[in-house]
Amino acid sequence: MVMFETLRDDYERHGRSLTEPAFVSLAVHRYGRWALGRRNPQARWLAGKLYALMKILVLNVTKVWIPPQVQLGRDFHIIHAEGSLSIHPDVVIGDRCGVMHNVTIGTNMGPGAPVIGDDVFIGVNSCVLGPITIGDRVRIGANTAVTTNVPPDSVVIGSPARIYPSLPIFAAKKKAPANE
């Protein structure tokens, strides 16, 4: 039941269209995770074959590659699926992460993969590479190559990436006294 609720949320978040490439790609990912979780070997084999067929037919068209091993948090949002999105199988992504098109997360050039926190935005044409940690509420700008750890509440811009700590809007909320 959880998978169907998650798919419903994905459907609503991605424009309530069954033909939206972002939704279709996420549905294939969700099915792949479900298929891997089957305890019965025959059911897992059959579900895996159907996943492989969907992957060939759908993911080659959408160019959104999210292996079933990727751990996606709640409310993952592919903001534009016009270009490619490639995510390494060992990546862990927190809740409410938004990703633009032409983004690469992780690489097959070495061991380890990124761990991305909650409420993170990754801009168009960006790369997040290596065994690094991206903190909560980080904004990664367009055309940015991130290869080092990023603390929470930061903005990351450029290639190579420059980290600007403590977003002004979050810093203001931290300093403001609580109204009682």
Side-chain angles (χ1 to χ4, degrees):
M1 283 306 201
V2 173
M3 182 176 85
F4 292 112
E5 291 172 11
T6 304
L7 281 172
R8 185 191 67 230
D9 292 344
D10 289 341
Y11 173 75
E12 291 175 5
R13 190 176 323 100
H14 291 95
R16 296 177 177 259
S17 172
L18 292 175
T19 60
E20 168 62 35
F23 168 71
V24 172
S25 299
L26 276 174
V28 170
H29 163 76
R30 307 280 187 209
Y31 177 80
R33 279 194 73 79
W34 177 84
L36 281 180
R38 300 303 87 213
R39 290 186 180 163
N40 180 307
Q42 290 83 17
R44 187 173 48 250
W45 180 86
L46 182 60
K49 295 302 177 191
L50 181 57
Y51 169 74
L53 179 64
M54 288 190 309
K55 186 170 85 169
I56 290 169
L57 297 175
V58 174
L59 302 184
N60 280 315
V61 173
T62 65
K63 301 297 184 215
V64 176
W65 301 93
I66 308 173
Q69 298 86 354
V70 173
Q71 296 178 41
L72 294 180
R74 288 187 336 261
D75 301 331
F76 181 74
H77 189 186
I78 302 170
I79 299 166
H80 293 291
E82 288 102 16
S84 67
L85 171 61
S86 180
I87 302 178
H88 188 278
D90 296 336
V91 168
V92 176
I93 297 177
D95 296 338
R96 296 169 305 281
C97 182
V99 178
M100 297 291 283
H101 55 284
N102 296 334
V103 169
T104 300
I105 303 174
T107 178
N108 63 357
M109 302 303 288
V115 174
I116 298 174
D118 297 338
D119 303 305
V120 173
F121 170 80
I122 302 174
V124 65
N125 293 329
S126 294
C127 297
V128 180
L129 306 173
I132 61 173
T133 300
I134 306 295
D136 295 340
R137 297 169 304 280
V138 168
R139 302 296 179 256
I140 299 173
N143 302 312
T144 300
V146 184
T147 58
T148 61
N149 292 335
V150 179
D153 302 315
S154 299
V155 175
V156 186
I157 302 170
S159 184
R162 294 191 68 197
I163 300 170
Y164 297 93
S166 196
L167 290 168
I169 189 168
F170 294 124
K173 287 181 182 178
K174 287 180 190 175
K175 293 178 186 176
N179 293 336
E180 294 182 31

